[in-house]
Amino acid sequence: MTLNLCVLTPNRIILDSEVKEIILSTDSGQIGVLPNHAPIATAVDIGILRIRLNDQWLTVALMGGFARIGNNEITILVNDAEKSSDIDPDEAQQTLEIAKANLQKAEGKRQTIEATLALRRARTRVEASIAIA
C-alpha cells in the first residue's frame, strides 16, 4: 500500500508521487506517516522531509508551511522547498556562514528574528545537501 504525496510551493509542484512512508518536521516535532495514518492537519516547521520511495530515501528541505494527511493522501504546502539533489553543498555552506555572521551583527529585535530564521533555513539546506539515508 502507498501514500499519494504532493509537495507544493506557491510557485511550483516540488513532488507529486506515490511513496511508502514520510518523516515530516512539524512545529511539535517529527512525525512518521505510513499508509492508513489517522487524519491530521499540522503546521510544518523549517526542516527536513524524508520520503521513502520503495527502497530509497529522498530528502527535501522545507521552509515552513502546512500539511494535511488523510485517506492515504498527503498534501504539503510550504513557503519554499528544495530536493537535496538540487542543492549545491558548497553554496549551501557559504550561505550558512553568511547567515551566522548576519546573526552576530543583528541589531534590534526585528533584525535578530529575521537573521535567526535565515540561519534556520541555511542550516536546513546544508543538512539536506549532505543527507544520507
Side-chain angles (χ1 to χ4, degrees), residues 25-75:
S25 295
T26 72
D27 285 350
S28 58
Q30 290 187 335
I31 62 169
V33 180
L34 293 166
N36 299 319
H37 192 282
I40 186 173
T42 185
V44 174
D45 200 5
I46 295 171
I48 299 296
L49 169 65
R50 289 185 171 81
I51 304 161
R52 184 165 63 98
L53 304 158
N54 298 320
D55 294 330
Q56 291 186 331
W57 286 87
L58 172 67
T59 304
V60 179
L62 300 180
M63 300 303 158
F66 296 93
R68 190 192 79 202
I69 301 163
N71 296 326
N72 291 324
E73 292 186 5
I74 305 166
T75 302

Side-chain angles (χ1 to χ4, degrees), residues 9-27:
T9 71
N11 302 325
R12 61 194 168 116
I13 298 171
I14 302 298
L15 186 71
D16 190 1
S17 179
E18 288 194 2
V19 302
K20 298 281 187 181
E21 170 184 7
I22 69 164
I23 300 171
L24 178 65
S25 295
T26 72
D27 285 350

